[in-house]
């Protein structure tokens, strides 16, 4: 499989409720600058982007994509919880 680059949205104005670390990231997707390569052998719909640049965007069930603390791995939402089973993991500072 060809290499991909992980893309993230960064929020600097939040604090993790678990460890107190400042900042959180939310996955945006994977970018395949040279195409998806052998992944097209497993997923036929990728055949058209086997050797072409491709962005596979992160999707969440119902559209909610949680944030993650890069210090402790805490995963959840900012300033609220209970949406699609995600707890509040960060608060705005």
């Amino acid at each position: 499989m060809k290499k991909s680059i992980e893309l993230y949205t960064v929020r600097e104005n939040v604090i993790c409720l678990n460890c107190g670390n400042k900042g959180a990231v939310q996955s945006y997707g994977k970018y395949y600058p040279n195409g998806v390569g052998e992944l097209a052998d497993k997923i036929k719909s990728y055949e058209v982007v086997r050797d072409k640049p491709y962005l596979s965007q992160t999707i969440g069930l119902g559209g909610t994509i949680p944030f993650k603390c890069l210090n402790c791995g805490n995963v959840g939402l900012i300033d609220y919880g209970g949406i699609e089973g995600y707890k509040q993991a960060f608060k705005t500072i």
Side-chain angles (χ1 to χ4, degrees):
M1 187 180 332
K2 294 189 178 184
K3 290 186 178 181
S4 64
I5 300 166
E6 295 282 340
L7 302 175
Y8 296 93
T9 300
V10 178
R11 289 283 302 265
E12 296 177 359
N13 66 334
V14 297
I15 216 164
C16 176
L17 297 177
N18 191 45
C19 71
N21 190 55
K22 183 180 174 189
V25 296
Q26 183 182 47
S27 177
Y28 185 77
K30 286 185 179 183
Y31 178 62
Y32 299 85
N34 301 312
V36 297
E38 292 116 22
L39 187 57
D41 295 335
K42 297 177 185 173
I43 304 171
K44 293 300 177 191
S45 62
Y46 284 164
E47 186 61 41
V48 294
V49 291
R50 177 184 293 274
D51 298 312
K52 297 178 185 174
Y54 177 69
L55 174 63
S56 176
Q57 290 184 307
T58 301
I59 59 171
L61 299 173
T64 302
I65 301 170
F67 286 83
K68 181 178 182 179
C69 176
L70 291 179
N71 184 52
C72 72
N74 191 21
V75 174
L77 304 176
I78 297 171
D79 290 333
Y80 57 92
I83 296 178
E84 296 185 23
Y86 293 112
K87 65 186 185 320
Q88 179 180 345
F90 303 91
K91 68 177 179 178
T92 303
I93 52 174

